[in-house]
Structure formats: C-alpha cells, structure tokens
Amino acid sequence: MLFLKKYKKYEHPYITTSIIILIIIAFLSLFAPLLTDYNPVRNDARNRLQPPSYQHFLGTDQFGRDVFTRILYGIRTSMEVGLAVVLLTVIFGGIVGVMAGYYSQIDKIVMRILDALMAFPGIIIAISLAAIWGAGKLNIILALSFAYFPKMARIVRSAVISIKDLDYVDSARSVGAKDSRIIFKYILKNSASPIMVQATFNFALAILDEAALSFLGVGIMPPAPSLGAMVTDARTYMVVAPWMILAPGIMIILAVLSLNLLGDGLRDLLDPHLKNTLKK
Amino acid sequence: MRRKIKITAVVLMTLVFSLLLSGNVLAQEEDHYGGTLNAALQMSVAHLDSDNSTDSLITAMMNHVYEGLFEFDENLNLTPHLAESYQIGEDGLVYDVKLRENVTMHNGQTMNADDVIASFKRWLELNNGGQLVSPYFDRVEKIDQYNIRFKFKEPYAPFLNILASPVSNQKFVVRAEEVVNEFGSDVIDRHVGTGPYKYEEWVPDQKLVLTRFEDYSPSPREGSFFAGERIPYLDKIVFNFIPDAQVRVSGVQTGQFHFAEEVPRDQYSLFEANPNIDNVIIYPDRMSMLIFNNANPPFDNKYARQAIAYALDFEELGYAMIGNPKFWRLEPALHEEGNPWHVPDAGKGIYGVYDPEKAKELLDRAGYDGSPIVILSGQDNAMERQGAIAIQDQLEKIGVEVELQLFDRPTVVERRAKKEGWHIHLSPFIKIVPDPQIHQGWTGTNKWISNWDSEESREMDQIFAEMLKEVDQEKRYKIVERMEEKLWDAVPYFNILDYSRLHIKRAELKNFKGSWQPFFWNTYLE
C-alpha cells in the first residue's frame, strides 16, 4: 500500500473524482436490491416505454421493465465481469510474465506466442471465443481474460527484466535466496505499480468490452440485464424513448471514464520519472 | 317562342357545362399519368426468376411485369385474370381454362395457349408450388389457341389457389414461350410478360427499374388488389434495396423515396405527426406461432401443451412482442377474419383464457417433472426475440424453469431441425393464406414443425387427406372446421396473435392500397 502514502486528496483531483464515482457505482451495484422495488427481469408489457416518472425514475423499456432497476443490476454484471477479468489477467498474466522475464529460456518461446496473440485486436479474439463457446457471463469472463492476458504478461515481464539485475536482487541471490523468494519478495513487490495501473485499465476495458459483446448479441444472455444489451435494445426506440438509450449509455461512460482516470492518476502517482517532471 | 329560346338556352348551357365538366374530369384522369416512383424495399434479391427461388420479394416486384392466370382480390377471392373463365369437371380431375384474347406481351406478340403451357410446365418442374402439385398432376393439353385443359391423376383441391398463391414464390405467372425455351430451367434474366410495367434495368443489391408498358391490355374486371384492371399511371418505378430501416425512414422523410417497406412500428406516432408522411398499416398478415417439440417430454403429452396455452397472458404478450395495439390482434384461427376459410369459434375455451391454476393442474396431469423448458428463438427479429423473453417471464411466474436460447436465424433453423435440445420455438408465419393447404407449415403434420407423431397426428393426417380431395368449397370448409377443432385439442402448435407490419408513404402518392405485397399500379403521384 505504498501508493496510499503518496496520495494526497487535493494534489490528485483525477484520482479523487474517480474514486468518488467508483464508490458510488460500487454502492449502487452492491445494494441494488435495496434501492429498488422492481425486479430486473419481470415484465409488465402493458406499461411499456413509459417516460421517466415518479414510479419509474428512468422510465420503462419495451417490456415495461424499470430502466433504473435494470441499470443497477446491469452495472452489477459489469462489475462482476470487470473484477473477474482483472483477477484472471493478473494471475495468468503475472505467472506467464514472471516466468518469461525471470527465465530467459522460456522467454523466447512464450513471448513469440504472446506476440502472435497480440497481433489480433483483443475484442476480435473475445468475439470469436464468445461465438464459439456461446454467450453467457462465465464465457465472456474467460474470453476477455484470454484476450487481455498477453498484454499483462508483457508488462509484468518487462518489469521483471528491469528489476532482476538490480543490485538488491543480486545481493539476495548471493546470500543464497531461492528463486521463489527472490520473485515474490524482491521482484513482484517492486513491480506492483505497473501491474496495478494495467489492472485498472483492464477493468475499464472489460466493462466496455462486455457492453460491446452484449451489444453485438454474443454477451450476456437476455433477459439478464447488461448495459451493452440495454443499448442494443434501445436503438430501435431511440426516437420515441430516448431515456432507454441515454441512461445505460451514460452509466457505461461514467464507469469507464472513472476507471481510466484512476489508471492515469495512478500512473502519474507511481511513476518516479513522471512525478519529477510533474513537480517541475 | 321566348320560352322555347329559354329552354334551348338552358339545354345548351347544360350541355356545354356538362361537356366542360367531363372535359375537366378527363383532364384530371390524364393528370394522374407521369412521374417516377422511388420505393425502398428492405431486402435485395439474388435474381428475378420467381420459379427458381423461395424469395417472396421477387414475386412482389415482378407482379408488375408478370401476371397470373388467376389473381386474388382484396377479399382473397380467386379471380380469373389472364384467364377469362374456367370450369372444373369430373370431380375435380379436369380444369378447363379459357384465356383472354388480344393480350399483348412485352415482345409485341399476343399471348396464347403456347405461352401459358410452356410457362406452366416450367412452373410445375421448378417452382416450389408446382412441385406440391406435380405428384397429383397428369398433363396439360392445348385445345385451341385460347383454351387449355389441366388433367389430374387424383383430385387436388388447392390447385387454383396455389396458382394464384401470394405465399412465398408459389404463384404461377405467364411468360413468353420464346423466353421459356431459351432459358429452360436456368435463371431467367430476360423478362417478357404481360404486366403493366416492363423490365428495364436491374443493378444487383441496388435497384430494379421498371417502365410503363404502353400497349398493356388491362383486365376488363374492376381493379381490386392483384385482380382486375391494373392502370399504369406512373412512367417509371424504381425499387431500391435499402436493408437499414432507419435509412428507409429518413429517405421518406426527406422525399427521396415515396414508399418504404417495413419501418419500425414504434415510430408510428412520429410519422403520424408529419403531414408529408402517411402510415400504411397493413391487415395483420403475420402470425406468431408457438411451436412445441412434440417428440420429447413434457410436450409429448397434450395436457402439457394445453397447459402452456392456459399459462400465457396473450394480451400481455401482444404488448411485449409487438407493442402498440394498433398492430396486433388476438386471433385463434389459422385463417384471419375476412378470409373465406376463417373459423370464428376456433380455440373456444382455451385460446385467450388466462388461467395459471389450470395450467399447473394440467402440467401435473401430464406428469411434468420440473426439468427446465428450453425456448429456442431467433434474436434478430423483434417478435421472436421479445416474444421468447416475455414467454420465459410468464412461465417462470407459474414456477416453470425456463432456459432461453436466442440465436441467429441459420443456427435456429439448424437446432430446431433436431429432435432433442429444444421444447418451444417461436416463428413468424405468413397469415394471408388463401387455401387451408397452401402453407407448407401445416400441409403435413409430421414435418419439421413439431415432430408430431402420435395417434392424434395420424387423425390429423386423415383430415388433411380428406381436405385434399374435396373440391366442393362448402364441404371443404366443414373439414377445415374439424381441423381447427382438432388442432386446439391436441395443440401441436398454436397461433398467439396476428400482427401487422408498418409501411410508410409520402402524402403525394395517391390511391395506394396496403396489401400483403406492395404494388404500384392504379397509384399515381400528385
């Protein structure tokens, strides 16, 4: 928690704003059942396409479902997907990156494979995997993690390479520390900041790509709420029921923007070179 | 004397006036002529040979170029068109058709029996409708230049209705003999018909251009939909293929198109507010079918199938699937109100009766074990997608666990062809069917549609066999009543509701009639 010591609320407005937004979003998604009386999937088609009102804070959709309720549960889905993808990419990207960075024999083979994977845009890999495996939350999480982990592995690897020849690692080795101790105690601990920054970006990207996959119809299966799927459905009604597309759209923007700001802020905060230039 | 002059003057005045008036009327009639019509259709076609395709859009456009021996009017009455009259003899084994004389074709020649016979033979061999007829058909004979005899081996009651069928590509149209001989079974790309417009240019995926045929010989009957007089007021008709609905809409809004096919129903009020745009809601010509997989439990038992009909709130489904109640209506029968085959009291006591308790009872009776029900449906069509979601919701309310499987069209077709893996499937069917046996969906009960193979399905086969032989309309109607009754008892599939599509047109396009396929004869631009 090194970075918390460096963090000062007023010197880093990006981080502060984004953390506030993220706390609100997390609150909304965690306490969704308490914040609304409606069920996100139950229909009431006789009250379809109702404009925002006292009963329906953000109106209703084409099935008469409360849009606000669906957004609460939709952001929940986004958060679940985002967190799971970040965990998986950090674990797998971390393992592959450390192995490749620390053992140069493995490096040559593994990195060429990862280069090949990175030649495809992540979203294309995710779409094809989701199309092959079928739609569903778990499949999306796996597909997105598979698409993102090469980049994570590459970042970890370069951090490991730059750290593994530093004096304190050499001295640890000279006193006879085992590889595992060196990796966990000296290398990983000191390469935490690029991993953390990349993880934040991955979180944002995962939310965006989950929305994109659901928008394309290979994501979360209806009727389960998802922000991307809500945008797809709303397209047809854009002219007659603009609240249907605005609400989930704004929610996606807020979530992704705050995470990106947080990532940028963290990078500024944790990068010693950038920090010096900023101070001048 | 003076009085006489007065009278003469009055008579003269009246004469002059009436002449002026009639001149005026004539002039107005003349005024209707001219102009180029731009229509935006939603899909492109692969070619323009209706016999070689199952695409109903080909027939829709080429109806302007080709005409049938028989056509349907507004009330789905079969009307002789290129035929003048017909007679059915020998208990439905012989059809004598007399052709209209002096009908000029686009190549300048007069249509005669040779053209009709050549086209008919090709239709019988290639067209999907012809292939339905051919097992029962014996031969076609030329009696003289304008008289033809169709002979059957076995009675086949739907024959004339199939000849004029608006469903898919089944309609029989008359082409010039020389063209039929030139192309044989290949795709025809030189079009010589008898219609009010002739083929001018086709740019694949972009447009089809038709121009007025000056020597057109209209039918002497009064114009009504596809039957009777077809007056080509417009100089030119351009069919543009515009797959994106919003582009079609904005094209009409800006005046680029005079007509757009199938636009989003939810924008209805928007169009209504625009004085330049008219909404054309066509007669509900689609029905949403709920189809059971009758091969597997629980729906191999009729009580389980009946239970679903009781478990669903059809009205709520209407709002969820289609939306605005202007565009749908509840209809238990396979044929709509106004159709000669409509059975008014079909499904009485079960259709539209929302009774969840009875549904649970029937499910128990059928021995339903609570395993999840798989709904297989398309995800691109709003009716299929939203219908499946709404049905899932309603079944879950009575405690049935439902798994939703939404796929693109090809995947759905592939999966529903299998016996396992699905229980309920939603599909839109064409409603305007002029014969109880024209639609392939229910001409055979054991087809893909239901995997229905039991005592009940064999009884239904029996009913269908009787219907096929009965040429007397009234007796045949009685059989149709029995069919509807049987269908609502066994419920291998059922109609949830009928729904309309929405077209829009510019206000300056006059006398446009919204029919199951758009047509532009008798319409004019102001």
Side-chain angles (χ1 to χ4, degrees):
Chain A
M1 297 292 106
L2 198 66
F3 77 97
L4 277 181
K5 287 180 199 154
K6 294 186 193 167
Y7 169 62
K8 296 194 182 53
K9 257 192 302 205
Y10 301 105
E11 274 179 42
H12 306 281
Y14 277 12
I15 303 183
T16 316
T17 339
S18 55
I19 285 180
I20 291 172
I21 298 177
L22 283 176
I23 286 175
I24 294 174
I25 290 177
F27 173 80
L28 290 179
S29 65
L30 275 177
F31 297 103
L34 303 176
L35 293 171
T36 172
D37 299 335
Y38 297 99
N39 180 310
V41 295
R42 282 288 90 90
N43 295 1
D44 178 19
R46 285 180 178 90
N47 289 315
R48 66 198 293 276
L49 304 181
Q50 297 287 316
S53 66
Y54 183 70
Q55 285 88 11
H56 299 284
F57 175 49
L58 290 174
T60 62
D61 69 358
Q62 77 273 30
F63 292 100
R65 301 176 296 204
D66 185 54
V67 172
F68 179 64
T69 307
R70 283 183 70 74
I71 284 189
L72 291 184
Y73 285 90
I75 196 82
R76 209 177 213 201
T77 313
S78 302
M79 287 287 163
E80 280 168 21
V81 171
L83 274 177
V85 168
V86 164
L87 272 178
L88 284 178
T89 45
V90 166
I91 291 170
F92 287 102
I95 292 174
V96 174
V98 167
M99 294 309 242
Y102 198 75
Y103 304 104
S104 47
Q105 299 95 322
I106 303 179
D107 187 37
K108 282 171 192 151
I109 305 164
V110 172
M111 274 303 143
R112 290 306 77 76
I113 297 173
L114 291 189
D115 282 347
L117 279 177
M118 282 174 74
F120 296 99
I123 186 76
I124 303 279
I125 295 183
I127 289 175
S128 22
L129 287 179
I132 295 167
W133 294 338
K137 204 185 283 177
L138 185 65
N139 289 348
I140 288 195
I141 291 172
L142 292 177
L144 289 178
S145 308
F146 188 77
Y148 298 160
F149 97 94
K151 197 160 186 200
M152 182 58 98
R154 196 156 253 283
I155 284 166
V156 174
R157 169 183 170 271
S158 54
V160 171
I161 285 177
S162 66
I163 292 169
K164 79 170 181 186
D165 293 330
L166 289 181
D167 289 346
Y168 62 85
V169 179
D170 276 346
S171 42
R173 197 174 285 132
S174 65
V175 293
K178 275 187 276 178
D179 280 356
S180 57
R181 183 177 167 85
I182 295 174
I183 288 171
F184 284 105
K185 180 123 199 216
Y186 300 104
I187 295 181
L188 268 188
K189 218 171 170 182
N190 286 298
S191 52
S193 53
I195 295 178
M196 205 139 52
V197 172
Q198 181 61 24
T200 322
F201 284 133
N202 273 354
F203 201 141
L205 209 57
I207 289 178
L208 199 62
D209 284 351
E210 180 268 311
L213 289 178
S214 302
F215 180 83
L216 294 172
V218 289
I220 306 289
M221 262 301 208
S226 148
L227 296 178
M230 288 175 76
V231 172
T232 321
D233 286 347
R235 257 184 332 162
T236 330
Y237 307 98
M238 199 153 68
V239 196
V240 285
W243 54 90
M244 270 178 72
I245 200 162
L246 284 177
I250 290 174
M251 211 60 208
I252 295 174
I253 293 175
L254 277 183
V256 175
L257 185 70
S258 61
L259 281 167
N260 276 338
L261 285 180
L262 181 67
D264 278 344
L266 282 180
R267 191 172 52 202
D268 294 352
L269 189 70
L270 300 173
D271 191 324
H273 305 290
L274 265 175
K275 198 176 143 199
N276 290 341
T277 52
L278 279 175
K279 275 209 171 144
K280 279 172 204 167
Chain B
M1 189 67 190
R2 239 171 133 187
R3 228 177 116 184
K4 241 185 186 169
I5 290 174
K6 223 176 177 179
I7 290 171
T8 333
V10 167
V11 167
L12 265 175
M13 286 283 275
T14 334
L15 259 174
V16 167
F17 228 87
S18 59
L19 265 175
L20 269 175
L21 261 176
S22 66
N24 226 352
V25 167
L26 277 176
Q28 263 179 6
E29 190 94 318
E30 284 294 308
D31 278 346
H32 293 342
Y33 281 90
T36 297
L37 175 112
N38 273 295
L41 302 183
Q42 63 169 347
M43 269 183 286
S44 173
V45 290
H47 55 77
L48 298 170
D49 182 354
S50 61
D51 289 341
N52 258 320
S53 168
T54 50
D55 193 336
S56 60
L57 189 60
I58 297 179
T59 328
M61 294 188 299
M62 296 312 268
N63 270 337
H64 297 80
V65 177
Y66 293 111
E67 294 172 302
L69 281 185
F70 300 91
E71 297 276 3
F72 284 109
D73 71 3
E74 198 166 351
N75 304 312
L76 277 177
N77 290 318
L78 186 84
T79 313
H81 193 74
L82 287 177
E84 192 173 284
S85 58
Y86 68 98
Q87 258 185 333
I88 307 175
E90 292 178 32
D91 290 331
L93 285 175
V94 172
Y95 292 74
D96 282 328
V97 176
K98 183 170 167 19
L99 303 177
R100 261 167 55 208
E101 294 177 24
N102 302 320
V103 174
T104 317
M105 304 194 85
H106 298 165
N107 57 4
Q109 288 165 6
T110 309
M111 179 199 77
N112 61 32
D114 293 327
D115 297 310
V116 178
I117 288 173
S119 311
F120 183 79
K121 283 183 174 159
R122 186 175 192 268
W123 179 83
L124 200 65
E125 187 193 337
L126 294 181
N127 191 296
N128 182 274
Q131 285 163 1
L132 289 178
V133 178
S134 73
Y136 307 90
F137 194 73
D138 184 14
R139 63 182 185 274
V140 51
E141 287 170 0
K142 176 179 173 182
I143 299 170
D144 61 40
Q145 278 299 75
Y146 293 104
N147 281 289
I148 298 171
R149 175 168 291 172
F150 298 99
K151 275 190 164 173
F152 278 81
K153 285 183 277 195
E154 287 169 50
Y156 185 74
F159 179 55
L160 293 181
N161 285 339
I162 279 206
L163 285 185
S165 169
V167 179
S168 209
N169 66 330
Q170 293 174 337
K171 190 200 270 192
F172 164 65
V173 293
V174 178
R175 305 168 199 274
E177 189 191 8
E178 48 151 339
V179 175
V180 175
N181 291 341
E182 183 187 333
F183 287 89
S185 58
D186 295 340
V187 170
I188 288 179
D189 63 5
R190 194 159 72 81
H191 298 277
V192 181
T194 60
Y197 287 88
K198 55 186 186 190
Y199 168 86
E200 182 170 297
E201 189 195 9
W202 179 47
V203 187
D205 287 333
Q206 199 185 336
K207 62 177 179 181
L208 169 69
V209 184
L210 307 176
T211 47
R212 185 197 297 131
F213 176 44
E214 298 295 347
D215 301 321
Y216 175 61
S217 330
S219 158
R221 290 161 213 272
E222 198 190 333
S224 168
F225 275 23
F226 295 90
E229 192 181 37
R230 301 180 175 184
I231 309 171
Y233 287 121
L234 303 157
D235 290 342
K236 212 180 234 194
I237 300 176
V238 183
F239 293 110
N240 301 280
F241 308 121
I242 314 286
D244 189 315
Q246 210 50 51
V247 178
R248 292 198 295 276
V249 169
S250 41
V252 174
Q253 281 165 341
T254 55
Q256 184 193 358
F257 304 130
H258 300 99
F259 171 84
E261 187 189 39
E262 286 203 40
V263 296
R265 282 179 286 255
D266 283 293
Q267 296 180 19
Y268 174 81
S269 49
L270 212 74
F271 304 137
E272 208 174 35
N274 187 334
N276 294 322
I277 298 181
D278 294 337
N279 282 305
V280 183
I281 304 178
I282 44 173
Y283 198 89
D285 71 336
R286 292 282 187 277
M287 54 179 153
S288 55
M289 274 286 186
L290 189 148
I291 295 151
F292 293 107
N293 184 349
N294 296 278
N296 297 317
F299 298 127
D300 55 353
N301 183 308
K302 82 171 179 186
Y303 296 117
R305 302 195 293 260
Q306 287 174 353
I308 300 301
Y310 284 113
L312 297 178
D313 179 350
F314 288 53
E315 211 167 287
E316 168 97 10
L317 282 182
Y319 285 100
M321 282 169 149
I322 312 295
N324 190 334
K326 276 196 176 72
F327 295 102
W328 55 270
R329 66 174 178 210
L330 300 181
E331 172 62 77
L334 292 179
H335 298 275
E336 71 285 359
E337 210 182 316
N339 188 307
W341 305 103
H342 174 65
V343 178
D345 56 357
K348 213 171 188 177
I350 173 164
Y351 179 86
V353 180
Y354 178 54
D355 191 346
E357 287 312 311
K358 184 154 188 182
K360 282 183 204 163
E361 228 176 271
L362 283 166
L363 279 177
D364 283 343
R365 192 164 167 191
Y368 170 57
D369 59 358
S371 51
I373 301 290
V374 176
I375 300 181
L376 174 70
S377 196
Q379 64 176 359
D380 307 318
N381 178 306
M383 188 289 286
E384 292 170 51
R385 180 186 157 88
Q386 300 186 174
I389 294 174
I391 289 171
Q392 175 192 33
D393 178 60
Q394 297 202 7
L395 292 184
E396 279 177 355
K397 277 179 191 158
I398 65 159
V400 176
E401 200 184 320
V402 178
E403 187 191 324
L404 204 58
Q405 293 195 354
L406 300 179
F407 299 106
D408 54 318
R409 190 96 207 130
T411 315
V412 170
V413 172
E414 188 194 317
R415 294 213 174 195
R416 78 175 177 201
K418 290 180 187 148
K419 267 197 165 174
E420 307 284 333
W422 63 278
H423 296 107
I424 290 177
H425 168 60
L426 268 184
S427 191
F429 275 25
I430 294 178
K431 184 77 182 189
I432 312 288
V433 180
D435 188 282
Q437 282 175 304
I438 265 188
H439 206 292
Q440 290 153 13
W442 52 79
T443 40
T445 46
N446 292 332
K447 298 270 166 64
W448 65 264
I449 188 165
S450 55
N451 299 320
W452 191 28
D453 192 5
S454 65
E455 202 55 43
E456 296 147 357
S457 80
R458 280 180 279 281
E459 279 172 45
M460 187 62 85
D461 285 340
Q462 194 51 43
I463 294 180
F464 273 112
E466 276 177 53
M467 204 190 294
L468 202 62
K469 290 200 177 75
E470 186 53 71
V471 278
D472 183 88
Q473 173 111 1
E474 259 169 52
K475 287 184 192 154
R476 202 149 170 252
Y477 180 79
K478 291 267 176 264
I479 303 174
V480 172
E481 281 183 325
R482 264 169 58 209
M483 172 190 82
E484 294 271 13
E485 193 185 325
K486 186 82 207 147
L487 273 180
W488 273 108
D489 177 54
V491 225
Y493 42 76
F494 64 83
N495 181 24
I496 297 173
L497 46 86
D498 294 354
Y499 64 99
S500 317
R501 295 169 296 157
L502 175 66
H503 302 326
I504 46 173
K505 68 170 192 69
R506 295 288 294 182
E508 58 262 33
L509 180 67
K510 299 287 180 192
N511 202 25
F512 179 82
K513 298 273 193 295
S515 86
W516 49 87
Q517 283 172 336
F519 63 86
F520 298 100
W521 52 81
N522 300 346
T523 63
Y524 54 91
L525 287 167
E526 214 164 54

